[in-house]
Short mmCIF file of all heavy atoms in Angstrom, two decimals:
data_model
loop_
_atom_site.label_atom_id
_atom_site.label_comp_id
_atom_site.label_asym_id
_atom_site.label_seq_id
_atom_site.Cartn_x
_atom_site.Cartn_y
_atom_site.Cartn_z
N TYR A 1 7.54 -17.91 7.82
CA TYR A 1 6.09 -18.22 8.02
C TYR A 1 5.75 -18.38 9.52
O TYR A 1 4.52 -18.84 9.77
CB TYR A 1 5.70 -19.50 7.24
CG TYR A 1 5.26 -19.29 5.81
CD1 TYR A 1 6.28 -19.08 4.88
CD2 TYR A 1 3.95 -19.34 5.40
CE1 TYR A 1 5.95 -18.94 3.54
CE2 TYR A 1 3.61 -19.12 4.04
CZ TYR A 1 4.57 -18.94 3.14
OH TYR A 1 4.29 -18.80 1.85
N SER A 2 6.60 -18.09 10.38
CA SER A 2 6.33 -18.45 11.79
C SER A 2 5.12 -17.69 12.41
O SER A 2 4.54 -18.21 13.24
CB SER A 2 7.64 -18.15 12.63
OG SER A 2 8.01 -16.72 12.55
N ASP A 3 4.94 -16.44 11.93
CA ASP A 3 3.78 -15.70 12.50
C ASP A 3 2.56 -15.71 11.50
O ASP A 3 1.57 -14.98 11.76
CB ASP A 3 4.21 -14.23 12.72
CG ASP A 3 5.05 -14.14 13.98
OD1 ASP A 3 5.01 -15.01 14.82
OD2 ASP A 3 5.92 -13.23 14.05
N PHE A 4 2.71 -16.35 10.38
CA PHE A 4 1.61 -16.25 9.42
C PHE A 4 0.44 -17.13 9.76
O PHE A 4 0.57 -18.14 10.45
CB PHE A 4 2.21 -16.80 8.00
CG PHE A 4 1.23 -17.01 6.97
CD1 PHE A 4 0.63 -15.94 6.28
CD2 PHE A 4 0.77 -18.31 6.69
CE1 PHE A 4 -0.31 -16.14 5.31
CE2 PHE A 4 -0.24 -18.51 5.67
CZ PHE A 4 -0.71 -17.43 4.97
N CYS A 5 -0.73 -16.64 9.41
CA CYS A 5 -1.97 -17.44 9.61
C CYS A 5 -3.00 -17.11 8.52
O CYS A 5 -2.98 -15.99 7.96
CB CYS A 5 -2.58 -17.25 11.03
SG CYS A 5 -3.31 -15.66 11.29
N THR A 6 -3.85 -17.92 8.22
CA THR A 6 -4.91 -17.65 7.23
C THR A 6 -6.20 -17.37 7.97
O THR A 6 -7.12 -16.76 7.32
CB THR A 6 -5.21 -18.93 6.37
OG1 THR A 6 -5.59 -20.01 7.20
CG2 THR A 6 -3.89 -19.29 5.64
N ASN A 7 -6.44 -17.73 9.15
CA ASN A 7 -7.60 -17.43 9.91
C ASN A 7 -7.22 -16.96 11.33
O ASN A 7 -6.56 -17.70 12.06
CB ASN A 7 -8.45 -18.73 10.07
CG ASN A 7 -8.94 -19.28 8.72
OD1 ASN A 7 -8.15 -19.80 8.01
ND2 ASN A 7 -10.16 -19.10 8.43
N LEU A 8 -7.73 -15.76 11.75
CA LEU A 8 -7.41 -15.22 13.05
C LEU A 8 -8.65 -15.00 13.80
O LEU A 8 -9.57 -14.34 13.32
CB LEU A 8 -6.62 -13.92 12.83
CG LEU A 8 -6.31 -13.22 14.21
CD1 LEU A 8 -5.24 -14.00 14.97
CD2 LEU A 8 -5.69 -11.80 13.92
N TRP A 9 -8.66 -15.61 15.02
CA TRP A 9 -9.83 -15.51 15.92
C TRP A 9 -9.37 -14.65 17.09
O TRP A 9 -8.37 -14.87 17.78
CB TRP A 9 -10.22 -16.86 16.40
CG TRP A 9 -10.57 -17.86 15.30
CD1 TRP A 9 -9.68 -18.51 14.62
CD2 TRP A 9 -11.80 -18.16 14.75
NE1 TRP A 9 -10.24 -19.34 13.66
CE2 TRP A 9 -11.59 -19.06 13.69
CE3 TRP A 9 -13.12 -17.70 15.08
CZ2 TRP A 9 -12.62 -19.65 12.97
CZ3 TRP A 9 -14.13 -18.30 14.35
CH2 TRP A 9 -14.00 -19.21 13.30
N CYS A 10 -10.11 -13.58 17.34
CA CYS A 10 -9.76 -12.64 18.46
C CYS A 10 -11.00 -12.50 19.35
O CYS A 10 -12.16 -12.35 18.94
CB CYS A 10 -9.47 -11.25 17.92
SG CYS A 10 -8.16 -11.15 16.68
N TYR A 11 -10.75 -12.66 20.65
CA TYR A 11 -11.83 -12.38 21.64
C TYR A 11 -11.21 -11.67 22.82
O TYR A 11 -10.02 -11.68 23.01
CB TYR A 11 -12.48 -13.67 22.14
CG TYR A 11 -11.62 -14.66 22.87
CD1 TYR A 11 -11.93 -14.75 24.27
CD2 TYR A 11 -10.71 -15.41 22.28
CE1 TYR A 11 -11.13 -15.60 25.01
CE2 TYR A 11 -9.95 -16.29 23.02
CZ TYR A 11 -10.15 -16.40 24.41
OH TYR A 11 -9.43 -17.34 25.08
N ASP A 12 -12.05 -11.03 23.61
CA ASP A 12 -11.56 -10.26 24.78
C ASP A 12 -11.96 -10.98 26.04
O ASP A 12 -12.68 -11.99 26.07
CB ASP A 12 -11.99 -8.80 24.73
CG ASP A 12 -13.52 -8.67 24.81
OD1 ASP A 12 -14.19 -9.63 25.23
OD2 ASP A 12 -14.01 -7.52 24.48
N ASN A 13 -11.58 -10.41 27.19
CA ASN A 13 -11.80 -11.02 28.48
C ASN A 13 -13.28 -10.86 28.95
O ASN A 13 -13.60 -11.26 29.99
CB ASN A 13 -10.87 -10.43 29.55
CG ASN A 13 -10.75 -8.95 29.49
OD1 ASN A 13 -10.52 -8.33 28.47
ND2 ASN A 13 -10.85 -8.32 30.62
N PHE A 14 -14.12 -10.22 28.10
CA PHE A 14 -15.48 -10.04 28.39
C PHE A 14 -16.36 -10.97 27.45
O PHE A 14 -17.55 -10.96 27.60
CB PHE A 14 -15.98 -8.56 28.17
CG PHE A 14 -15.33 -7.58 29.11
CD1 PHE A 14 -14.21 -6.91 28.78
CD2 PHE A 14 -15.91 -7.38 30.34
CE1 PHE A 14 -13.55 -5.96 29.57
CE2 PHE A 14 -15.33 -6.43 31.24
CZ PHE A 14 -14.18 -5.82 30.87
N GLY A 15 -15.67 -11.80 26.74
CA GLY A 15 -16.36 -12.86 25.91
C GLY A 15 -16.68 -12.41 24.47
O GLY A 15 -17.31 -13.25 23.74
N ALA A 16 -16.40 -11.21 24.11
CA ALA A 16 -16.69 -10.75 22.74
C ALA A 16 -15.75 -11.47 21.76
O ALA A 16 -14.59 -11.72 22.07
CB ALA A 16 -16.65 -9.24 22.62
N MET A 17 -16.24 -11.75 20.55
CA MET A 17 -15.46 -12.46 19.56
C MET A 17 -15.43 -11.70 18.25
O MET A 17 -16.46 -11.18 17.81
CB MET A 17 -15.99 -13.93 19.37
CG MET A 17 -15.35 -14.73 18.35
SD MET A 17 -13.67 -15.31 18.78
CE MET A 17 -14.11 -16.60 20.00
N TRP A 18 -14.34 -11.74 17.53
CA TRP A 18 -14.21 -11.23 16.11
C TRP A 18 -13.26 -12.09 15.39
O TRP A 18 -12.21 -12.47 16.01
CB TRP A 18 -13.77 -9.75 16.19
CG TRP A 18 -13.64 -9.14 14.84
CD1 TRP A 18 -14.58 -8.63 14.05
CD2 TRP A 18 -12.37 -9.02 14.09
NE1 TRP A 18 -14.01 -8.14 12.90
CE2 TRP A 18 -12.73 -8.39 12.90
CE3 TRP A 18 -11.04 -9.37 14.32
CZ2 TRP A 18 -11.69 -8.09 11.94
CZ3 TRP A 18 -10.06 -9.13 13.39
CH2 TRP A 18 -10.41 -8.47 12.26
N SER A 19 -13.48 -12.33 14.16
CA SER A 19 -12.58 -13.26 13.39
C SER A 19 -12.47 -12.64 11.96
O SER A 19 -13.27 -11.88 11.53
CB SER A 19 -13.10 -14.58 13.35
OG SER A 19 -14.35 -14.70 12.63
N VAL A 20 -11.33 -13.14 11.33
CA VAL A 20 -11.14 -12.66 9.97
C VAL A 20 -10.33 -13.81 9.29
O VAL A 20 -9.58 -14.55 9.94
CB VAL A 20 -10.33 -11.36 9.90
CG1 VAL A 20 -8.95 -11.57 10.56
CG2 VAL A 20 -10.13 -10.82 8.47
N ALA A 21 -10.53 -14.04 7.95
CA ALA A 21 -9.90 -15.04 7.20
C ALA A 21 -9.33 -14.58 5.90
O ALA A 21 -9.93 -13.59 5.34
CB ALA A 21 -10.83 -16.24 6.97
N TYR A 22 -8.28 -15.13 5.44
CA TYR A 22 -7.65 -14.74 4.20
C TYR A 22 -8.41 -15.19 2.97
O TYR A 22 -9.11 -16.20 3.10
CB TYR A 22 -6.20 -15.17 4.14
CG TYR A 22 -5.85 -16.30 3.15
CD1 TYR A 22 -5.01 -16.03 2.19
CD2 TYR A 22 -6.35 -17.54 3.32
CE1 TYR A 22 -4.62 -17.00 1.31
CE2 TYR A 22 -6.02 -18.53 2.41
CZ TYR A 22 -5.15 -18.25 1.40
OH TYR A 22 -4.78 -19.25 0.58
N THR A 23 -8.29 -14.55 1.85
CA THR A 23 -8.94 -15.03 0.64
C THR A 23 -7.79 -15.32 -0.33
O THR A 23 -6.71 -14.78 -0.28
CB THR A 23 -9.79 -13.86 0.05
OG1 THR A 23 -9.01 -12.73 -0.21
CG2 THR A 23 -10.89 -13.52 1.09
N PRO A 24 -8.03 -16.25 -1.27
CA PRO A 24 -7.08 -16.67 -2.25
C PRO A 24 -6.40 -15.52 -3.12
O PRO A 24 -5.38 -15.67 -3.68
CB PRO A 24 -7.69 -17.70 -3.14
CG PRO A 24 -8.80 -18.19 -2.24
CD PRO A 24 -9.27 -17.05 -1.41
N THR A 25 -7.13 -14.38 -3.08
CA THR A 25 -6.70 -13.27 -3.89
C THR A 25 -5.42 -12.60 -3.47
O THR A 25 -4.84 -11.85 -4.24
CB THR A 25 -7.80 -12.16 -4.07
OG1 THR A 25 -8.11 -11.69 -2.69
CG2 THR A 25 -9.05 -12.71 -4.68
N ILE A 26 -4.94 -12.82 -2.20
CA ILE A 26 -3.78 -12.23 -1.77
C ILE A 26 -2.49 -12.82 -2.40
O ILE A 26 -1.41 -12.24 -2.26
CB ILE A 26 -3.65 -12.26 -0.24
CG1 ILE A 26 -3.39 -13.71 0.28
CG2 ILE A 26 -4.88 -11.67 0.41
CD1 ILE A 26 -3.15 -13.79 1.73
N GLY A 27 -2.62 -14.02 -3.01
CA GLY A 27 -1.48 -14.57 -3.74
C GLY A 27 -0.44 -15.27 -2.93
O GLY A 27 0.69 -15.43 -3.37
N VAL A 28 -0.85 -15.77 -1.76
CA VAL A 28 0.06 -16.54 -0.89
C VAL A 28 -0.28 -18.01 -1.05
O VAL A 28 -1.45 -18.37 -0.82
CB VAL A 28 -0.04 -16.06 0.56
CG1 VAL A 28 0.89 -16.96 1.40
CG2 VAL A 28 0.41 -14.68 0.72
N SER A 29 0.70 -18.79 -1.37
CA SER A 29 0.49 -20.23 -1.51
C SER A 29 0.54 -20.95 -0.21
O SER A 29 1.55 -20.84 0.51
CB SER A 29 1.53 -20.85 -2.42
OG SER A 29 1.39 -20.21 -3.78
N VAL A 30 -0.59 -21.68 0.19
CA VAL A 30 -0.57 -22.38 1.47
C VAL A 30 -1.07 -23.83 1.19
O VAL A 30 -1.94 -23.95 0.31
CB VAL A 30 -1.38 -21.67 2.51
CG1 VAL A 30 -0.72 -20.37 2.97
CG2 VAL A 30 -2.83 -21.39 1.98
N HIS A 31 -0.61 -24.78 1.93
CA HIS A 31 -1.04 -26.13 1.78
C HIS A 31 -2.42 -26.37 2.51
O HIS A 31 -3.22 -27.18 2.04
CB HIS A 31 0.02 -27.11 2.34
CG HIS A 31 -0.40 -28.53 2.29
ND1 HIS A 31 -1.03 -29.21 3.37
CD2 HIS A 31 -0.34 -29.44 1.27
CE1 HIS A 31 -1.29 -30.47 3.16
NE2 HIS A 31 -0.88 -30.61 1.87
N HIS A 32 -2.58 -25.75 3.65
CA HIS A 32 -3.77 -25.94 4.42
C HIS A 32 -4.07 -24.68 5.24
O HIS A 32 -3.05 -23.79 5.43
CB HIS A 32 -3.62 -27.16 5.34
CG HIS A 32 -2.37 -27.09 6.20
ND1 HIS A 32 -1.17 -27.58 5.88
CD2 HIS A 32 -2.28 -26.46 7.46
CE1 HIS A 32 -0.31 -27.36 6.82
NE2 HIS A 32 -0.91 -26.68 7.75
N PRO A 33 -5.27 -24.49 5.73
CA PRO A 33 -5.49 -23.30 6.60
C PRO A 33 -4.65 -23.36 7.83
O PRO A 33 -4.37 -24.36 8.46
CB PRO A 33 -7.02 -23.44 6.90
CG PRO A 33 -7.56 -24.40 5.92
CD PRO A 33 -6.49 -25.26 5.52
N VAL A 34 -4.26 -22.15 8.25
CA VAL A 34 -3.47 -22.00 9.52
C VAL A 34 -4.31 -21.10 10.42
O VAL A 34 -4.53 -19.90 10.21
CB VAL A 34 -2.15 -21.29 9.19
CG1 VAL A 34 -1.31 -21.13 10.48
CG2 VAL A 34 -1.32 -22.12 8.14
N HIS A 35 -4.86 -21.66 11.51
CA HIS A 35 -5.67 -21.01 12.47
C HIS A 35 -4.87 -20.51 13.74
O HIS A 35 -4.02 -21.25 14.20
CB HIS A 35 -6.80 -21.94 12.98
CG HIS A 35 -7.73 -22.31 11.90
ND1 HIS A 35 -8.89 -21.62 11.53
CD2 HIS A 35 -7.73 -23.37 11.01
CE1 HIS A 35 -9.50 -22.20 10.49
NE2 HIS A 35 -8.81 -23.29 10.13
N ARG A 36 -5.17 -19.33 14.13
CA ARG A 36 -4.58 -18.74 15.34
C ARG A 36 -5.68 -17.99 16.13
O ARG A 36 -6.58 -17.42 15.49
CB ARG A 36 -3.43 -17.76 15.09
CG ARG A 36 -2.21 -18.45 14.40
CD ARG A 36 -1.49 -19.38 15.37
NE ARG A 36 -0.29 -19.96 14.78
CZ ARG A 36 -0.26 -21.14 14.11
NH1 ARG A 36 -1.41 -21.87 14.01
NH2 ARG A 36 0.89 -21.49 13.63
N MET A 37 -5.51 -18.06 17.46
CA MET A 37 -6.51 -17.26 18.24
C MET A 37 -5.81 -16.61 19.38
O MET A 37 -4.89 -17.16 19.98
CB MET A 37 -7.53 -18.24 18.87
CG MET A 37 -8.63 -17.51 19.66
SD MET A 37 -10.10 -18.49 20.06
CE MET A 37 -9.43 -19.66 21.20
N VAL A 38 -6.18 -15.37 19.68
CA VAL A 38 -5.58 -14.61 20.74
C VAL A 38 -6.60 -13.95 21.60
O VAL A 38 -7.72 -13.79 21.11
CB VAL A 38 -4.61 -13.47 20.21
CG1 VAL A 38 -3.38 -14.10 19.47
CG2 VAL A 38 -5.31 -12.48 19.38
N GLN A 39 -6.27 -13.57 22.81
CA GLN A 39 -7.24 -12.94 23.71
C GLN A 39 -6.61 -11.48 23.96
O GLN A 39 -5.46 -11.27 24.17
CB GLN A 39 -7.37 -13.63 25.05
CG GLN A 39 -8.24 -12.83 26.06
CD GLN A 39 -8.41 -13.57 27.31
OE1 GLN A 39 -8.95 -14.67 27.31
NE2 GLN A 39 -8.04 -12.94 28.43
N PHE A 40 -7.50 -10.51 23.83
CA PHE A 40 -7.17 -9.15 24.22
C PHE A 40 -7.74 -8.85 25.61
O PHE A 40 -8.96 -9.13 25.80
CB PHE A 40 -7.77 -8.12 23.15
CG PHE A 40 -7.00 -8.21 21.86
CD1 PHE A 40 -7.35 -9.13 20.83
CD2 PHE A 40 -5.97 -7.34 21.51
CE1 PHE A 40 -6.77 -9.25 19.64
CE2 PHE A 40 -5.33 -7.45 20.26
CZ PHE A 40 -5.75 -8.34 19.37
N ASN A 41 -6.97 -8.26 26.45
CA ASN A 41 -7.41 -7.95 27.78
C ASN A 41 -7.59 -6.51 27.97
O ASN A 41 -6.65 -5.74 27.86
CB ASN A 41 -6.38 -8.51 28.80
CG ASN A 41 -6.21 -10.03 28.70
OD1 ASN A 41 -7.13 -10.85 28.95
ND2 ASN A 41 -5.00 -10.50 28.31
N TYR A 42 -8.88 -6.09 28.30
CA TYR A 42 -9.18 -4.66 28.45
C TYR A 42 -9.78 -4.42 29.79
O TYR A 42 -10.21 -5.32 30.50
CB TYR A 42 -10.23 -4.33 27.38
CG TYR A 42 -9.77 -4.55 25.97
CD1 TYR A 42 -10.59 -5.18 25.06
CD2 TYR A 42 -8.58 -4.11 25.47
CE1 TYR A 42 -10.28 -5.44 23.75
CE2 TYR A 42 -8.19 -4.31 24.18
CZ TYR A 42 -8.93 -5.01 23.32
OH TYR A 42 -8.63 -5.17 22.00
N GLU A 43 -9.73 -3.16 30.15
CA GLU A 43 -10.31 -2.73 31.45
C GLU A 43 -11.87 -2.64 31.29
O GLU A 43 -12.58 -2.88 32.31
CB GLU A 43 -9.73 -1.36 31.84
CG GLU A 43 -8.25 -1.25 32.06
CD GLU A 43 -7.81 -2.00 33.29
OE1 GLU A 43 -8.79 -2.41 34.03
OE2 GLU A 43 -6.62 -2.17 33.45
N GLU A 44 -12.31 -2.31 30.09
CA GLU A 44 -13.72 -2.13 29.82
C GLU A 44 -14.09 -2.84 28.56
O GLU A 44 -13.34 -2.83 27.65
CB GLU A 44 -14.18 -0.72 29.85
CG GLU A 44 -14.07 0.06 31.19
CD GLU A 44 -14.69 1.46 31.01
OE1 GLU A 44 -15.87 1.54 30.89
OE2 GLU A 44 -13.93 2.40 31.11
N HIS A 45 -15.32 -3.29 28.49
CA HIS A 45 -15.77 -3.95 27.28
C HIS A 45 -15.92 -2.90 26.17
O HIS A 45 -16.65 -1.86 26.40
CB HIS A 45 -17.09 -4.72 27.47
CG HIS A 45 -17.74 -5.22 26.22
ND1 HIS A 45 -17.01 -6.12 25.42
CD2 HIS A 45 -18.87 -4.95 25.56
CE1 HIS A 45 -17.79 -6.44 24.31
NE2 HIS A 45 -18.85 -5.67 24.45
N ASN A 46 -15.37 -3.11 25.01
CA ASN A 46 -15.42 -2.18 23.87
C ASN A 46 -15.18 -2.97 22.64
O ASN A 46 -14.08 -3.31 22.21
CB ASN A 46 -14.35 -1.04 24.04
CG ASN A 46 -14.58 -0.04 22.99
OD1 ASN A 46 -14.93 -0.27 21.83
ND2 ASN A 46 -14.19 1.25 23.31
N PHE A 47 -16.31 -3.39 21.93
CA PHE A 47 -16.18 -4.28 20.72
C PHE A 47 -15.44 -3.46 19.63
O PHE A 47 -14.69 -4.13 18.91
CB PHE A 47 -17.57 -4.68 20.29
CG PHE A 47 -17.53 -5.64 19.18
CD1 PHE A 47 -17.12 -7.00 19.37
CD2 PHE A 47 -17.86 -5.30 17.87
CE1 PHE A 47 -17.08 -7.81 18.24
CE2 PHE A 47 -17.78 -6.09 16.81
CZ PHE A 47 -17.35 -7.46 17.06
#
């Protein structure tokens, strides 16, 4: 489970944000939400 998350937040170095969350239909048992956020670094803004 080291890389697993239920909620992923992604944004880039231009400030744009996009996120996605898991739904219970995928059949994975979790005790609580697992949130992770990463930054993508681009040369140009491209949502």
Side-chain angles (χ1 to χ4, degrees):
Y1 273 77
S2 60
D3 289 334
F4 169 76
C5 71
T6 62
N7 300 72
L8 178 64
W9 305 81
C10 303
Y11 68 105
D12 65 16
N13 48 309
F14 294 93
M17 175 74 74
W18 178 83
S19 65
V20 63
Y22 109 115
T23 59
T25 57
I26 67 171
V28 176
S29 298
V30 292
H31 176 264
H32 56 268
V34 180
H35 296 269
R36 295 289 183 267
M37 184 167 70
V38 297
Q39 174 177 305
F40 290 85
N41 298 297
Y42 302 131
E43 301 288 352
E44 294 189 67
H45 174 60
N46 187 327
F47 186 73

